[in-house]
Amino acid sequence: MYNVKENLSEVLATLTDGVRLVAISKYHPAEYVMAAYDEGQRVFGESHEQELKQKHEQLPKDIEWHFIGHLQTNKVKYIVPYISMIEAVDSIRLLREIEKQAAKCDRVVKVLLELHIAEEATKYGLTLDACRQLLDEGEWRQMSHVSICGLMMMASNTDDEQQIEEEFQTAQDFFNEVKTHYFANDPAFCERSWGMSDDYLLALRHGSTLVRIGTRIFGPRIY
Ligand SMILES: *Cc1c(COP(=O)(O)O)cnc(C)c1O
């Protein structure tokens, strides 16, 4: 097995106070999750509903699962009963469906709004204006089964560190704006999920509170 324990402790040693690790276990077997679990890691991230379901059934029930991928509305009902956080909410339609399904389960599901800041055209997420518009429209205020806990984003996949840092800073500035305008009295709105294996050290300089790290802990994924 890839050296999960050693890699995990190396990553944890580099995190600053108040930053939590979401260990991204997609495409890795349950044994790898257990190796990290045995070291005390409890928060894991997956991006496919079927794979998440299998791992959730096989693995200890005190794991907090984060859904980090693009979620189709017709899949929401399958994950809502047990998911801890849905990180990549990028439409009011998806938010509505989470509210509806969470109400059926009598749960409150934590969500993050996903921002599109990177230059790649293929990535999902709300532009800053679309995010402002969603929040201005205010429908979310009536939703008692979703808790909007912050923002999530992916930086561009580039070697240009300055560009990556600018994108993280844009996200951090936007977080401050949204916090002030819509969530000033809501302490739950506090999370900034940015930083992956190749860029999390940069993300830590720009306000990240959750880093989503896969490869650096579990090794390369075999698709
Ligand atoms: C796969 C994935 C990650 C982890 O990427 P690594 O480069 O393996 O650390 C983080 N965030 C999202 C949204 C992902 O899909």
Side-chain angles (χ1 to χ4, degrees):
M1 188 189 296
Y2 210 76
N3 204 340
V4 171
K5 292 184 183 191
E6 207 171 285
N7 296 338
L8 176 68
S9 61
E10 275 177 24
V11 166
L12 290 174
T14 58
L15 297 186
T16 33
D17 274 355
V19 178
R20 287 185 306 143
L21 169 67
V22 184
I24 305 301
S25 50
K26 65 187 185 198
Y27 296 98
H28 292 294
E31 294 90 303
Y32 281 43
V33 176
M34 273 317 290
Y37 181 92
D38 286 341
E39 297 299 293
Q41 179 66 26
R42 289 294 179 273
V43 188
F44 292 88
E46 287 283 336
S47 58
H48 293 97
E49 184 270 318
Q50 277 296 323
E51 187 181 353
L52 172 59
K53 177 178 192 267
Q54 284 175 0
K55 289 200 175 113
H56 171 253
E57 283 167 2
Q58 267 179 290
L59 287 160
K61 293 297 170 277
D62 62 341
I63 288 178
E64 290 174 40
W65 293 107
H66 284 210
F67 196 87
I68 60 159
H70 180 68
L71 182 59
Q72 291 169 282
T73 47
N74 62 351
K75 300 282 171 63
V76 169
K77 59 177 174 290
Y78 302 121
I79 68 167
V80 153
Y82 63 87
I83 201 76
S84 171
M85 183 182 275
I86 298 175
E87 290 210 15
V89 173
D90 62 358
S91 72
I92 188 67
R93 236 180 108 236
L94 181 56
L95 198 60
R96 265 182 214 137
E97 181 65 14
I98 298 169
E99 167 68 16
K100 181 176 152 195
Q101 299 299 334
K104 282 190 193 165
C105 305
D106 198 20
R107 294 197 67 207
V108 178
V109 173
K110 294 179 190 171
V111 305
L112 303 180
L113 300 176
E114 181 183 9
L115 302 176
H116 180 124
I117 291 172
E119 282 182 352
E120 283 102 304
T122 54
K123 293 218 172 114
Y124 294 103
L126 297 155
T127 63
L128 304 190
D129 274 339
C131 188
R132 288 185 189 102
Q133 192 186 338
L134 186 155
L135 291 167
D136 277 337
E137 284 169 355
E139 191 180 332
W140 60 277
R141 293 182 192 276
Q142 316 313 323
M143 297 181 178
S144 50
H145 300 88
V146 293
S147 171
I148 302 178
C149 293
L151 305 175
M152 179 268 207
M153 59 81 81
M154 282 164 101
S156 292
N157 184 10
T158 168
D159 291 333
D160 183 346
E161 294 202 347
Q162 193 186 335
Q163 184 186 339
I164 294 171
E165 289 211 47
E166 279 169 16
E167 292 176 3
F168 287 143
Q169 190 56 41
T170 298
Q172 171 62 14
D173 292 343
F174 188 69
F175 173 88
N176 290 335
E177 174 192 322
V178 167
K179 177 76 185 164
T180 306
H181 279 99
Y182 307 95
F183 297 98
N185 299 315
D186 182 357
F189 188 89
C190 63
E191 301 290 5
R192 285 142 278 167
S193 178
W194 41 87
M196 307 175 21
S197 286
D198 288 338
D199 60 18
Y200 79 96
L201 291 172
L202 303 177
L204 294 178
R205 299 190 204 150
H206 300 277
S208 174
T209 62
L210 292 172
V211 289
R212 308 179 309 269
I213 300 180
T215 310
R216 194 174 284 270
I217 296 169
F218 298 113
R221 288 179 283 274
I222 297 154
Y223 295 102

